[in-house]
Amino acid sequence: MTSHGFLHIAVYLATLLALVKPFGWYMARVYQDRPIAPMRWLIPVERLIYRLSGVKPEQDMRWTEYAAALLVFNLFGLLAVYALQRLQATLPFNPQRLAAVSPDSAFNTAVSFATNTNWQGYGGETTMSYLTQMLGLTVQNFVSAATGMAVLAALIRGFIRRNQETIGNFWVDMTRGTLYILLPLSLLLSLALVGQGVVQTFSPYQSVALTEPVSYEQPTLGEDGQPLKDAEGKPVLEKIAVHEQTLAQGPAASQVAIKQLGTNGGGFFNVNSAHPFENPTPLSNFLEMLAILLIPAALCYTFGVMVGDTRQGWAILAAMTIVFIALVFVTVSAEQRGNPVLAALGTDQAPSPTQAGGNMEGKETRFGTVDSALWAVATTAASNGSVNAMHDAFTPLGGMMPMWLMQLGEVIYGGVGSGLYGMIVFAIVAVFVAGLMIGRTPEYLGKKIEAFEMKMAAVAILIPPLMVLGGTAAAVMLDAGKSSIFNPGAHGFSEVLYAFSSAGNNNGSAFGGLSANTPFYNLLLGIAMLFARYWLIVPVLAIAGSLATKKIVPASPGTLPTHTPLFVALLIGTVLMVGALTFVPALALGPIVEQLQMTQ
């Protein structure tokens, strides 16, 4: 690792951690119904929303009612996005007159954005109208993120309430998360991005003259649409000269801001944050990368404030950050070293250990290897999925780190809300294991962890691996899955494993070599996204409801402190052991084999 790389990573982490406490405190005030003075002008707006929607904010819900409201709301959002895609050809704000999206792709995209996954099997500028992007996708970016934060708020109430049957009001939690947190931040970030050159317009696509015309040859087609052939059976080629290029544009800045802040990640354009109209400068790159981890990291402090012990939040944040830093350094080092085989091309020497300039394949020169690798780790740590480089072109080791981060359950920061409640589930497992070691009933934050909580925690931890490994197995066994794999061998397997790791953990990024926009993958990945989102949310709400009914047990000499370095180490060990035991055999068939082949 170079000194330049160290400096980039240090500045990024220092800025991120400096914002954790003030912003985490602000979010705690929001969910405690005590917004700070500059934001109190939004209180009448909040009350108006409740009146118009018929919500009684003072009426708390049992966990079953909370879950039902959440599921129904998300179902209606899914159906709305599906309908917009299917009808967009007849709806306004479609200057390019794009056709309706196919049923299987529309289903996959609707599920993807409703579940905060934002997996994209399509090219945005060639598939989605401005109306679909704004009214469908951008709206879901807000409400799916607010849903995750609402579940976290409900789980926190489970710890702080005693002998109660309710855990809050879903409609209130979702409204406050959107109104006081996501909307103001998105407005500020989108203005900053527009200042950097991110487009925000309703104008049609523009055709511009090329400074240097491009010429190429292509087969001449006959009346039947098939290539014509000469007497020798070779295709008849015609020369094509291109003098202009069509530049896609649209209301991108507003979607880019919330896609990063809400850990959604879906790109307005096909190449996502590598596109110069989404991410034009190193400063916009830094701001967007900071936005990816800002809310997930700050929510750790929010958790500490709301449970009355900020040390608990700092302990969880420390566990997340330690794993994050370790994987950042592995990924950046792997990309800076590059491919030793390429370093030896054109020489008579054996492959050298370092490729000059590092591995720049699939990366933007305005970002380089460090910012590309750092973004890759941040986006997969945060369940975000946006990309500023082609992960498929990373070295095997460099590509394995983002893949493994997803397979850990998206708890190293994770999605907004979902990452922290996932890590709390691992914390429950960690204190349970510690309790078994000393032969006493485990406790976490004063609540006894008993059989019901452990059953729900087991469901939440095991569902994503089932979706990932089961989906990968089906794809590599069935002809419908194998027909989309264009890279044979270990790398083709890695592409399939990455796709289901992304869908099965609600991330959304991809190794780009897999042709996944097919009925088979659209359906199977959609099912994986649904299960991975809601079969985690429901058990987490069940845990919250169960904990809320219990009394708080005073700490005793036998209670395991959950704010110490020892517990941080135990929590990290629990997360890594589950990830290692579950996925190392599959990784051994893909990126580990590739790494050995590259360096042999």
Side-chain angles (χ1 to χ4, degrees):
M1 170 116 23
T2 64
S3 57
H4 173 266
F6 276 111
L7 181 62
H8 269 238
I9 296 169
V11 170
Y12 175 71
L13 286 174
T15 307
L16 174 68
L17 296 177
L19 294 171
V20 164
K21 185 173 181 178
F23 193 59
W25 172 82
Y26 169 76
M27 290 192 291
R29 297 278 298 223
V30 169
Y31 286 110
Q32 291 172 333
D33 195 17
R34 295 187 297 156
I36 61 175
M39 303 302 291
R40 287 177 184 166
W41 65 273
L42 288 171
I43 293 177
V45 179
E46 180 187 358
R47 291 172 178 168
L48 177 62
I49 292 172
Y50 296 148
R51 280 200 298 270
L52 293 176
S53 56
V55 171
K56 299 178 180 178
E58 71 283 353
Q59 184 176 343
D60 274 3
M61 298 175 173
R62 298 172 181 265
W63 81 262
T64 50
E65 297 170 324
Y66 199 103
L70 183 152
L71 293 174
V72 169
F73 177 76
N74 279 254
L75 175 61
F76 274 99
L78 188 156
L79 294 175
V81 175
Y82 180 84
L84 278 170
Q85 294 176 85
R86 298 291 293 140
L87 299 173
Q88 73 175 13
T90 61
L91 295 174
F93 294 102
N94 186 7
Q96 301 308 120
R97 299 181 179 179
L98 297 174
V101 182
S102 65
D104 59 293
S105 180
F107 165 77
N108 182 275
T109 303
V111 169
S112 178
F113 279 78
T115 58
N116 199 244
T117 308
N118 292 35
W119 168 274
Q120 293 175 289
Y122 61 89
E125 63 266 49
T126 59
T127 308
M128 300 295 179
S129 69
Y130 292 170
L131 183 68
T132 303
Q133 294 268 25
M134 293 185 300
L135 187 58
L137 308 188
T138 303
V139 168
Q140 285 302 308
N141 283 347
F142 278 98
V143 297
S144 65
T147 295
M149 292 192 292
V151 174
L152 174 63
L155 179 59
I156 294 174
R157 293 190 194 101
F159 284 107
I160 62 180
R161 292 185 176 183
R162 61 184 75 185
N163 301 322
Q164 294 189 34
E165 299 288 337
T166 59
I167 56 172
N169 187 307
F170 169 72
W171 308 111
V172 172
D173 290 338
M174 189 189 65
T175 301
R176 287 177 180 163
T178 304
L179 188 61
Y180 292 99
I181 299 172
L182 296 174
L183 274 171
L185 276 179
S186 297
L187 179 60
L188 292 174
L189 180 58
S190 58
L191 290 174
L193 293 179
V194 167
Q196 287 298 299
V198 179
V199 296
Q200 181 74 15
T201 178
F202 292 119
S203 299
Y205 297 174
Q206 299 294 313
S207 294
V208 297
L210 295 176
T211 56
E212 295 183 7
V214 176
S215 298
Y216 62 94
E217 292 183 333
Q218 70 177 22
T220 303
L221 301 181
E223 294 181 358
D224 58 356
Q226 298 300 315
L228 298 177
K229 296 182 180 180
D230 58 19
E232 297 179 358
K234 297 179 180 179
V236 177
L237 301 178
E238 59 178 338
K239 192 171 184 179
I240 304 295
V242 179
H243 299 276
E244 65 178 19
Q245 177 183 3
T246 300
L247 298 180
Q249 48 189 348
S254 54
Q255 182 167 320
V256 171
I258 185 56
K259 87 169 186 180
Q260 308 298 23
L261 288 165
T263 59
N264 301 284
F268 193 93
F269 302 107
N270 188 31
V271 294
N272 208 285
S273 293
H275 198 290
F277 286 174
E278 280 200 36
N279 188 13
T281 68
L283 179 56
S284 70
N285 188 75
F286 182 83
L287 292 175
E288 291 184 34
M289 195 160 48
L290 187 64
I292 291 173
L293 294 184
L294 174 60
I295 296 178
L299 280 171
C300 294
Y301 190 78
T302 301
F303 170 69
V305 171
M306 292 181 70
V307 300
D309 186 355
T310 55
R311 297 174 302 175
Q312 304 294 335
W314 288 122
I316 290 180
L317 180 63
M320 293 176 174
T321 304
I322 289 170
V323 177
F324 178 79
I325 291 175
L327 297 189
V328 163
F329 277 100
V330 173
T331 307
V332 172
S333 297
E335 293 309 298
Q336 285 192 327
R337 289 177 64 85
N339 188 334
V341 178
L342 295 179
L345 290 178
T347 71
D348 296 329
Q349 302 174 356
S352 65
T354 303
Q355 174 188 345
N359 176 31
M360 278 299 294
E361 181 186 359
K363 298 179 177 64
E364 296 294 308
T365 55
R366 65 186 186 276
F367 305 140
T369 54
V370 175
D371 281 349
S372 299
L374 179 58
W375 184 300
V377 176
T379 194
T380 49
S383 185
N384 179 273
S386 65
V387 295
N388 73 346
M390 177 62 74
H391 291 187
D392 194 44
F394 277 33
T395 62
L397 183 60
M400 186 178 77
M401 294 300 102
M403 188 191 306
W404 196 44
L405 265 171
M406 295 186 293
Q407 293 167 349
L408 292 179
E410 294 289 21
V411 296
I412 307 305
Y413 299 117
V416 287
S418 61
L420 183 51
Y421 67 64
M423 185 60 103
I424 292 173
V425 169
F426 274 104
I428 289 173
V429 174
V431 298
F432 180 78
V433 171
L436 291 178
M437 291 179 179
I438 61 176
R440 62 170 286 147
T441 302
E443 302 167 12
Y444 187 54
L445 301 181
K447 295 296 181 79
K448 287 188 177 293
I449 306 301
E450 297 175 304
F452 180 79
E453 289 79 23
M454 285 308 303
K455 290 177 183 177
M456 294 298 101
V459 170
I461 289 174
L462 294 177
I463 284 294
L466 176 62
M467 295 296 101
V468 174
L469 297 176
T472 302
V476 298
M477 289 174 61
L478 301 175
D479 291 338
K482 290 187 290 185
S483 63
S484 294
I485 303 173
F486 300 124
N487 292 303
H491 191 69
F493 179 81
S494 295
E495 291 171 348
V496 176
L497 180 62
Y498 194 106
F500 282 95
S501 299
S502 179
N505 291 280
N506 296 134
N507 182 269
S509 64
F511 272 8
L514 179 71
S515 180
N517 192 12
T518 65
F520 174 83
Y521 280 103
N522 281 333
L523 178 61
L524 203 57
L525 292 171
I527 292 172
M529 289 184 276
L530 281 172
F531 273 82
R533 177 70 165 179
Y534 300 112
W535 273 97
L536 268 67
I537 283 178
V538 173
V540 167
L541 291 176
I543 292 173
S546 176
L547 294 175
T549 63
K550 299 182 179 184
K551 62 182 181 180
I552 295 179
V553 180
S556 66
T559 301
L560 173 69
T562 53
H563 59 270
T564 62
L566 175 62
F567 181 74
V568 171
L570 179 61
L571 181 56
I572 292 174
T574 302
V575 173
L576 295 183
M577 283 301 294
V578 170
L581 292 175
T582 306
F583 289 105
V584 163
L587 292 171
L589 297 175
I592 293 177
V593 169
E594 286 187 83
Q595 183 70 22
L596 295 175
Q597 290 173 335
M598 185 183 76
T599 58
Q600 65 182 351

